[in-house]
Amino acid sequence: MQQRFALGDLQGERTIVVGGAGFVGSRLVRVLLEHGASVTVVDNLLSSEFENLPIDPKLDFVEGSITDDAILTALPDDARFVFHLACYHGNQSSIHDPLADHENNTLTTLKLYERLRGLRSLEKVVYAAAGCAVAEKTDGPAAATEESDLVHIDHDSPYSISKIVGEFYSSYYYRQHGIPVVRARFQNVYGPGEVLGAGRWRGTPATVWRNVVPTFIYRALHGEALLLENDGHASRDFIFVDDVVSGLLSCALDGQAGEVFNLATGQETSILELAERINRLAENPTPVERRPAREWDRSIHRFGSPGKAKRELGFEAAIALEAGLKRTVEWTRGELPRIEACIEKHRHLLDS
């Protein structure tokens, strides 16, 4: 299915990307620039690297937090699109430091929306929400999470709490102040561009081993055992980064303000199957290593329903898991020196 949005609509448009130096944000920024948009990126580089961004005269980079009043005041008043992707990455870091999570997940959203009140140029604000914040906590068979599902009060981490609070604020500022917010609920995003160890130390080894796909690929390429918590029994909905960027643009150009859309494949993949696929693609002969389940994680099986986004936006994920993993393995092989350098920044803390 072809997306309904026309990328030519971005030509010359002033766009703000908060968290634009991150894994997803930097890919979005490149697409925006390629299609003629002028982009202001705000990023404090807490979990990202400046080198992720291209050098382009249409790009204005501001280093710092969107909670900084001086940065907020200096934001362009003629922005047509705003993408709010900043967060405190991710569950384990938030469990270690809930106050840092609040500062970088919850307060960022509230202060940004206060600044955007009254900006008449705004066509759309897209908030990056999290599928984990609405998924049922179950170890039994999972049903695809719909956008209409009720939100559970029981959460596994401050990260999950802050992401759903961000949705509450998005809905409130749309209803109360007319900010044209669309919420885009991510599933498990993977793909080229995610650098292990990017940013500053955030208190735990999850600073480096930040997501399952890049961690598995890195270890597989080094001939190491892939560590399977809970025997790899858990399952997730893995969506390629280019598909997520396409979904974000669909939300911006075709999404109705006040609505929420899953950016999902609708396909459930076990972590064991993921490990087997990656070991095969990376030609890693080392058997997996089975470990106990993570004590904090009770959302064992989850995946998102893509139906609403397909019906209302014309958005449908295009990259199958096998093809996406192959591209990610190839990218990681070529970027190993850069990835190793990022990991090495944290070596003394990782090994302590």
Side-chain angles (χ1 to χ4, degrees):
M1 174 176 292
Q2 294 295 315
Q3 283 78 16
R4 295 171 188 162
F5 66 79
L7 287 171
D9 292 345
L10 299 168
Q11 182 70 39
E13 297 293 349
R14 170 62 66 185
T15 303
I16 299 170
V17 183
V18 183
F23 163 46
V24 176
S26 60
R27 180 60 187 140
L28 172 64
V29 166
R30 289 177 183 274
V31 173
L32 290 167
L33 292 170
E34 287 167 5
H35 291 88
S38 297
V39 183
T40 297
V41 168
V42 180
D43 201 302
N44 63 2
L45 303 182
L46 181 60
S47 57
S48 58
E49 302 286 334
F50 175 74
E51 289 73 20
N52 290 345
L53 292 168
I55 297 173
D56 191 296
K58 300 188 298 298
L59 173 64
D60 179 23
F61 175 70
V62 180
E63 182 175 353
S65 172
I66 200 65
T67 61
D68 185 320
D69 290 336
I71 290 175
L72 282 167
T73 301
L75 289 178
D77 287 326
D78 60 346
R80 184 179 175 199
F81 298 104
V82 177
F83 295 88
H84 178 22
L85 309 183
C87 74
Y88 190 65
H89 190 284
N91 286 295
Q92 293 176 79
S93 296
S94 76
I95 291 168
H96 173 76
D97 193 344
L99 293 178
D101 179 86
H102 176 80
E103 175 74 20
N104 291 278
N105 260 353
T106 309
L107 195 57
T108 49
T109 303
L110 181 56
K111 294 197 74 169
L112 175 63
Y113 288 173
E114 277 292 292
R115 171 64 176 89
L116 297 180
R117 285 174 54 182
L119 283 193
R120 295 185 178 181
S121 63
L122 280 179
E123 178 76 19
K124 209 68 59 64
V125 177
V126 181
Y127 172 73
C132 66
V134 297
E136 182 183 2
K137 305 297 181 284
T138 178
D139 193 15
T145 303
E146 302 279 354
E147 291 86 344
S148 58
D149 288 348
L150 294 175
V151 175
H152 299 270
I153 195 169
D154 191 17
H155 287 260
D156 288 340
S157 71
Y159 172 85
S160 176
I161 294 168
S162 58
K163 293 307 290 184
I164 197 61
V165 169
E167 290 207 45
F168 294 159
Y169 277 132
S170 297
S171 181
Y172 167 77
Y173 274 86
Y174 165 67
R175 297 290 181 189
Q176 186 69 19
H177 300 292
I179 295 180
V181 183
V182 174
R183 292 164 283 145
R185 282 187 188 152
F186 291 15
Q187 297 296 316
N188 284 59
V189 188
Y190 74 98
E194 187 167 16
V195 178
L196 295 172
R200 303 194 295 275
W201 183 254
R202 297 183 295 284
T204 77
T207 299
V208 172
W209 313 120
R210 49 188 289 155
N211 277 326
V212 64
V213 171
T215 297
F216 275 8
I217 290 175
Y218 176 85
R219 287 180 167 155
L221 289 174
H222 286 77
E224 300 174 8
L226 307 191
L227 309 181
L228 294 184
E229 284 126 351
N230 197 19
D231 291 333
H233 172 62
S235 59
R236 296 291 186 264
D237 185 334
F238 294 99
I239 183 166
F240 194 66
V241 63
D242 288 358
D243 283 329
V244 166
V245 167
S246 180
L248 288 168
L249 292 169
S250 291
C251 286
L253 295 169
D254 289 326
Q256 182 177 336
E259 286 289 347
V260 56
F261 298 97
N262 287 330
L263 302 187
T265 69
Q267 301 296 315
E268 187 180 6
T269 302
S270 74
I271 304 303
L272 174 59
E273 180 186 346
L274 178 74
E276 291 171 341
R277 284 175 179 258
I278 288 173
N279 273 339
R280 176 171 46 78
L281 290 168
E283 300 179 328
N284 180 22
T286 307
V288 298
E289 182 178 323
R290 298 174 187 271
R291 293 195 168 185
R294 300 182 293 191
E295 291 183 2
W296 58 269
D297 188 1
R298 290 165 298 117
S299 180
I300 307 302
H301 299 291
R302 66 172 186 257
F303 65 107
S305 169
K308 182 180 177 182
K310 183 176 180 179
R311 289 191 308 271
E312 299 188 19
L313 301 178
F315 167 74
E316 189 172 15
I319 309 299
L321 182 60
E322 184 76 9
L325 289 175
K326 183 177 181 181
R327 286 168 60 176
T328 310
V329 168
E330 291 170 353
W331 177 87
T332 305
R333 275 199 180 101
E335 293 291 329
L336 276 175
R338 179 184 172 206
I339 295 168
E340 300 278 9
C342 268
I343 293 174
E344 197 59 34
K345 293 188 307 182
H346 310 294
R347 182 64 64 187
H348 63 295
L349 294 165
L350 258 182
D351 297 339
S352 62

